[in-house]
């Protein structure tokens, strides 16, 4: 089918809830993808932090093909060996933690909120959940109620009751709230707010949130849906901050490219979801598990994570060289989640359009931030290739 026809049928048959590029991507290999007209792109979006090993990873493909010939789905009525294996891998350095598998990030957070309420019921009848300004935790009703920007919430009121929001990185406001309101069951935080434009929590902030949770007996949930699974140069992003969350939520890269989400739970809380209290039909299906394990085993190797850190530092140093450009406000990054913050929306848009024209995929996020998410096995020469396009773009769009 010709691209024009696909585009018109896309509009005719699909609900128009996405603003899609009018491009059909048909093939990927490593850090590159090709569209239906044969144009090659350097993919520094990675399926929005999903394809952490790039496209067409041999070990992931092999694991998928081997699982396909055995079984795709059986349901959680039965024991699933692949789930056990993956949980064991994920919790290897987290003694006693247990996993629950689902299909997406929003579902992982819903599970965490339900756990918080079950636990809270028996612990002072607490049910409220606190999140932060700028936060993005998903689009189902519970997660949406913890997601702060109005643009995601508009038209969907009333949201789930019992959710409160506090300014990001504001410990005083958080402490004032939990002192006053004794019904807070959980606090959920992203270590780095990806959708908000790669906004970092300060090191002290997460440590203080943790200590508030300990003092006031509140469940500490860290949402690593975007920044987990090696993205920042550690298996889990919270490892940078010397904290120990009670619940870690994961998705995106967790399934090695297939749909998969999870929450990992500290042993103190892991028995509160009893049989029948929560579940999913497809979550943790053998196929997603097989792909996820094959991907996670490669990513979680110490040498691999060290290479992510090195390449991230290399990329950030290169970006810092353009930071004094008058159109740029700031550049930021940790591992291979990076951002260029521009001074205006128009400039950020022109920058992204130029990159796209030159065959480089990056995402425009909140407040003029261009988010850069290369595959974690990106090559140094590919980072150089992207930097060259960035430099050209800055020259071309300067006015
Ligand atoms: C931090 C964070 N949490 C949750 C989600 C929701 O994940 P999903 O789109 O898989 O439901 C996202 C998605 O971007 C995210 O970045």
């Amino acid at each position: 089918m010709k691209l024009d026809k696909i585009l018109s049928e896309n509009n005719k048959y699909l609900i128009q809830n996405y603003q899609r590029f009018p491009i059909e991507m048909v093939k990927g290999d490593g850090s590159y993808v090709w569209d239906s007209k044969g144009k090659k792109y350097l993919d520094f979006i990675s399926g929005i932090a999903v394809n952490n090993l790039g496209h067409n990873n041999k070990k992931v493909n092999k694991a998928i093909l081997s699982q396909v010939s055995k079984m795709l789905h059986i349901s959680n009525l039965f024991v699933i060996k692949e789930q056990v294996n993956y949980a064991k891998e994920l919790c290897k350095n987290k003694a006693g933690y247990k996993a629950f598998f689902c299909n997406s990030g929003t579902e992982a957070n819903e599970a965490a909120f339900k756990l918080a309420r079950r636990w809270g019921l028996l612990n002072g009848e607490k049910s409220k959940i606190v999140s932060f300004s700028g936060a993005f935790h998903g689009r189902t009703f519970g997660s949406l109620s913890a997601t702060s920007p109005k643009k995601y919430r508009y038209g969907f009121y009333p949201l789930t009751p019992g959710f409160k929001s506090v300014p990001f990185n504001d410990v005083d406001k958080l402490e004032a709230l939990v002192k006053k309101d004794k019904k807070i069951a959980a606090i959920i935080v992203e270590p780095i707010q990806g959708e908000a434009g790669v906004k970092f929590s300060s090191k002290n902030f997460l440590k203080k949130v943790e200590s508030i949770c300990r003092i006031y007996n509140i469940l500490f949930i860290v949402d690593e849906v975007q920044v987990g699974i090696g993205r920042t140069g550690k298996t889990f992003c919270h490892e940078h901050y010397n904290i120990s969350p009670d619940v870690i939520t994961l998705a995106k890269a967790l399934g090695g490219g297939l749909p998969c989400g999870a929450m990992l739970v500290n042993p103190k809380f892991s028995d509160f979801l009893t049989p029948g209290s929560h579940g999913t039909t497809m979550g943790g299906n053998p196929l997603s598990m097989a792909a996820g394990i094959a991907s996670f085993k490669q990513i979680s190797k110490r040498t691999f994570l060290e290479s992510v850190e090195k390449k991230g530092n290399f990329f950030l140093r290169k970006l810092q060289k353009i930071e004094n450009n008058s159109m740029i406000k700031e550049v930021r990054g940790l591992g291979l989640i990076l951002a260029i913050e521009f001074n205006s929306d128009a400039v950020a848009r022109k920058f992204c359009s130029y990159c796209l024209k030159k065959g480089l995929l990056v995402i425009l996020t909140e407040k003029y931030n261009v988010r850069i998410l290369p595959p974690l096995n990106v090559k140094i020469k590919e980072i150089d290739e992207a930097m060259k396009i960035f430099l050209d773009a800055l020259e071309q769009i300067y006015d």
Side-chain angles (χ1 to χ4, degrees), residues 181-202:
D181 191 337
K182 302 284 178 255
K183 296 295 174 194
I184 292 169
I187 298 175
I188 181 163
V189 63
E190 291 161 89
I192 302 167
Q193 293 185 333
E195 296 304 303
V198 191
K199 293 283 160 82
F200 284 78
S201 60
S202 62

Short mmCIF file of all heavy atoms in Angstrom, two decimals, residues 181-202:
data_model
loop_
_atom_site.label_atom_id
_atom_site.label_comp_id
_atom_site.label_asym_id
_atom_site.label_seq_id
_atom_site.Cartn_x
_atom_site.Cartn_y
_atom_site.Cartn_z
N ASP A 181 -1.63 15.64 57.22
CA ASP A 181 -2.58 14.63 56.75
C ASP A 181 -2.07 13.24 57.13
O ASP A 181 -1.09 12.74 56.56
CB ASP A 181 -2.70 14.75 55.22
CG ASP A 181 -3.86 13.94 54.68
OD1 ASP A 181 -4.28 12.98 55.37
OD2 ASP A 181 -4.34 14.26 53.59
N LYS A 182 -2.75 12.63 58.07
CA LYS A 182 -2.29 11.32 58.58
C LYS A 182 -2.77 10.15 57.71
O LYS A 182 -2.57 8.99 58.06
CB LYS A 182 -2.81 11.11 60.02
CG LYS A 182 -2.37 12.21 61.00
CD LYS A 182 -0.90 12.04 61.39
CE LYS A 182 -0.41 13.13 62.31
NZ LYS A 182 0.47 14.12 61.68
N LYS A 183 -3.44 10.45 56.62
CA LYS A 183 -4.03 9.38 55.80
C LYS A 183 -3.21 9.10 54.53
O LYS A 183 -3.72 8.52 53.57
CB LYS A 183 -5.48 9.74 55.43
CG LYS A 183 -6.41 9.83 56.64
CD LYS A 183 -6.56 8.47 57.32
CE LYS A 183 -7.35 8.56 58.61
NZ LYS A 183 -7.23 7.36 59.46
N ILE A 184 -1.96 9.53 54.52
CA ILE A 184 -1.16 9.31 53.32
C ILE A 184 -0.52 7.91 53.35
O ILE A 184 0.23 7.58 54.28
CB ILE A 184 -0.11 10.42 53.15
CG1 ILE A 184 -0.88 11.71 52.81
CG2 ILE A 184 0.89 10.08 52.04
CD1 ILE A 184 -0.07 12.94 52.87
N ALA A 185 -0.87 7.11 52.36
CA ALA A 185 -0.38 5.72 52.30
C ALA A 185 0.92 5.63 51.52
O ALA A 185 1.79 4.80 51.84
CB ALA A 185 -1.44 4.84 51.65
N ALA A 186 1.06 6.45 50.47
CA ALA A 186 2.22 6.28 49.58
C ALA A 186 2.64 7.58 48.93
O ALA A 186 1.83 8.49 48.74
CB ALA A 186 1.88 5.27 48.48
N ILE A 187 3.93 7.63 48.64
CA ILE A 187 4.48 8.74 47.83
C ILE A 187 5.11 8.09 46.60
O ILE A 187 5.86 7.12 46.72
CB ILE A 187 5.54 9.53 48.62
CG1 ILE A 187 4.91 10.17 49.87
CG2 ILE A 187 6.19 10.60 47.73
CD1 ILE A 187 5.89 10.87 50.79
N ILE A 188 4.78 8.62 45.42
CA ILE A 188 5.38 8.11 44.18
C ILE A 188 6.20 9.20 43.52
O ILE A 188 5.76 10.35 43.43
CB ILE A 188 4.31 7.54 43.21
CG1 ILE A 188 5.00 6.98 41.94
CG2 ILE A 188 3.25 8.58 42.81
CD1 ILE A 188 4.14 6.06 41.11
N VAL A 189 7.40 8.84 43.08
CA VAL A 189 8.29 9.84 42.48
C VAL A 189 9.09 9.23 41.34
O VAL A 189 9.48 8.05 41.39
CB VAL A 189 9.21 10.45 43.58
CG1 VAL A 189 10.12 9.43 44.21
CG2 VAL A 189 10.02 11.62 43.05
N GLU A 190 9.32 10.04 40.30
CA GLU A 190 10.26 9.65 39.23
C GLU A 190 11.62 10.24 39.60
O GLU A 190 11.71 11.46 39.82
CB GLU A 190 9.86 10.29 37.90
CG GLU A 190 8.59 9.79 37.28
CD GLU A 190 8.08 10.80 36.24
OE1 GLU A 190 8.47 10.70 35.07
OE2 GLU A 190 7.30 11.69 36.61
N PRO A 191 12.68 9.47 39.59
CA PRO A 191 14.00 10.03 39.89
C PRO A 191 14.39 11.11 38.87
O PRO A 191 15.01 12.11 39.21
CB PRO A 191 14.95 8.84 39.78
CG PRO A 191 14.10 7.62 39.78
CD PRO A 191 12.73 8.02 39.34
N ILE A 192 14.02 10.87 37.62
CA ILE A 192 14.18 11.87 36.56
C ILE A 192 12.83 11.93 35.84
O ILE A 192 12.33 10.90 35.39
CB ILE A 192 15.27 11.46 35.54
CG1 ILE A 192 16.61 11.25 36.23
CG2 ILE A 192 15.40 12.50 34.43
CD1 ILE A 192 17.65 10.54 35.36
N GLN A 193 12.25 13.12 35.74
CA GLN A 193 10.95 13.23 35.07
C GLN A 193 11.17 13.30 33.56
O GLN A 193 11.53 14.33 33.02
CB GLN A 193 10.22 14.48 35.55
CG GLN A 193 9.80 14.40 37.01
CD GLN A 193 8.95 15.59 37.45
OE1 GLN A 193 9.06 16.69 36.88
NE2 GLN A 193 8.12 15.38 38.45
N GLY A 194 10.97 12.15 32.90
CA GLY A 194 11.26 12.05 31.47
C GLY A 194 10.29 12.86 30.62
O GLY A 194 10.71 13.68 29.80
N GLU A 195 8.99 12.66 30.83
CA GLU A 195 8.00 13.34 29.99
C GLU A 195 8.00 14.84 30.25
O GLU A 195 7.66 15.64 29.38
CB GLU A 195 6.59 12.78 30.25
CG GLU A 195 6.41 11.32 29.88
CD GLU A 195 6.77 11.02 28.44
OE1 GLU A 195 6.19 11.63 27.54
OE2 GLU A 195 7.65 10.17 28.21
N ALA A 196 8.38 15.24 31.45
CA ALA A 196 8.41 16.67 31.78
C ALA A 196 9.61 17.36 31.14
O ALA A 196 9.80 18.57 31.32
CB ALA A 196 8.44 16.85 33.30
N GLY A 197 10.46 16.60 30.46
CA GLY A 197 11.60 17.21 29.77
C GLY A 197 12.94 16.86 30.38
O GLY A 197 13.86 17.67 30.36
N VAL A 198 13.03 15.65 30.94
CA VAL A 198 14.29 15.19 31.56
C VAL A 198 14.69 16.15 32.70
O VAL A 198 15.74 16.78 32.68
CB VAL A 198 15.43 15.01 30.52
CG1 VAL A 198 16.63 14.30 31.13
CG2 VAL A 198 14.94 14.25 29.30
N LYS A 199 13.78 16.25 33.66
CA LYS A 199 14.01 17.11 34.83
C LYS A 199 14.52 16.24 35.97
O LYS A 199 13.86 15.25 36.35
CB LYS A 199 12.71 17.82 35.23
CG LYS A 199 12.22 18.82 34.19
CD LYS A 199 13.02 20.09 34.26
CE LYS A 199 12.97 20.95 33.04
NZ LYS A 199 11.86 21.82 32.85
N PHE A 200 15.64 16.63 36.54
CA PHE A 200 16.28 15.80 37.57
C PHE A 200 15.76 16.14 38.96
O PHE A 200 15.57 17.31 39.28
CB PHE A 200 17.79 16.02 37.56
CG PHE A 200 18.46 15.32 36.42
CD1 PHE A 200 18.40 15.86 35.14
CD2 PHE A 200 19.11 14.13 36.60
CE1 PHE A 200 18.99 15.22 34.07
CE2 PHE A 200 19.72 13.47 35.54
CZ PHE A 200 19.66 14.03 34.27
N SER A 201 15.60 15.09 39.77
CA SER A 201 15.39 15.35 41.20
C SER A 201 16.79 15.58 41.77
O SER A 201 17.76 14.99 41.31
CB SER A 201 14.74 14.15 41.87
OG SER A 201 15.57 13.03 41.73
N SER A 202 16.85 16.43 42.78
CA SER A 202 18.16 16.64 43.40
C SER A 202 18.48 15.40 44.24
O SER A 202 17.56 14.70 44.70
CB SER A 202 18.14 17.88 44.27
OG SER A 202 17.21 17.69 45.31
#
